Amino acid sequence: MGTFSKSLASIGGFIAGDFDTINWLRHTCRSYIFSASNTPAATAAAMEALHIIQQEPERIEKLWDVTRYALRRFREEGFEIGDTESPIIPLYVRDVDKTFLVTALAYNAGVFINPVIPPACAPEDTLVRFALMATHTNEQVERAVVALKKIFVEQEIIK
């Protein structure tokens, strides 16, 4: 199973398996029953993203370099990020109202983050996602970490 939305800048995803498994999923998974096929445009976008990854592997290394930098900086500044190693970094807020507030304050400070609230998570596990791309620089990450630290401290989420 894989997603096209996070890793390949498209929408949808896929599940690969033998005939019996796929047939069982088709008839028993509620989320699948009412879904539609990927659009040709989304499929083409995912395919082109795969071609770029194959032809320009340096993008992957750049993404991991900036990810390691961001993970280190968020941990150094006291953010709760769990045991993640992903370019999509969770910054735990643990309060639904503050999650929305932090998202808005970050946007006003020039930092785009996405809120994650129930039912996507338990009420005590709300968070914002800090998503990186290979085109981000360490300087951009540093600016975002500083801005988010100020917001999280002001909202008494971290010290």
Side-chain angles (χ1 to χ4, degrees):
M1 176 169 57
T3 177
F4 293 159
S5 62
K6 299 205 175 36
S7 58
L8 299 174
S10 185
I11 60 173
F14 67 92
I15 296 180
D18 60 57
F19 177 82
D20 290 336
T21 301
I22 298 300
N23 196 45
W24 182 83
L25 291 171
R26 242 187 223 127
H27 297 287
T28 59
C29 293
R30 289 179 43 180
S31 60
Y32 182 84
I33 290 171
F34 298 106
S35 69
S37 298
N38 277 350
T39 65
T43 303
M47 287 178 62
E48 185 57 28
L50 286 171
H51 289 136
I52 290 170
I53 289 169
Q54 290 171 331
Q55 294 168 0
E56 301 174 29
E58 66 275 8
R59 289 179 184 260
I60 295 171
E61 189 53 42
K62 174 67 172 90
L63 175 61
W64 286 112
D65 286 345
V66 74
T67 297
R68 285 187 288 272
Y69 179 80
L71 290 168
R72 180 176 58 80
R73 289 297 293 124
F74 280 121
R75 286 185 177 114
E76 286 173 353
E77 294 299 334
F79 286 85
E80 183 186 357
I81 65 172
D83 193 27
T84 187
E85 294 181 19
S86 169
I88 301 172
I89 302 171
L91 305 175
Y92 285 92
V93 178
R94 302 196 181 280
D95 177 286
V96 173
D97 293 334
K98 282 186 180 181
T99 299
F100 284 116
L101 180 59
V102 163
T103 301
L105 292 171
Y107 183 80
N108 291 340
V111 180
F112 182 77
I113 52 178
N114 290 300
V116 180
I117 58 158
C121 66
E124 66 275 9
D125 290 333
T126 65
L127 57 97
V128 293
R129 285 185 177 147
F130 184 83
L132 291 163
M133 300 181 298
T135 54
H136 281 118
T137 65
N138 287 358
E139 292 77 19
Q140 290 170 321
V141 169
E142 186 62 30
R143 190 178 71 71
V145 169
V146 169
L148 291 170
K149 170 82 183 238
K150 181 176 187 284
I151 293 165
F152 273 56
V153 168
E154 287 172 353
Q155 296 307 312
E156 300 179 343
I157 299 166
I158 62 174
K159 295 181 181 194

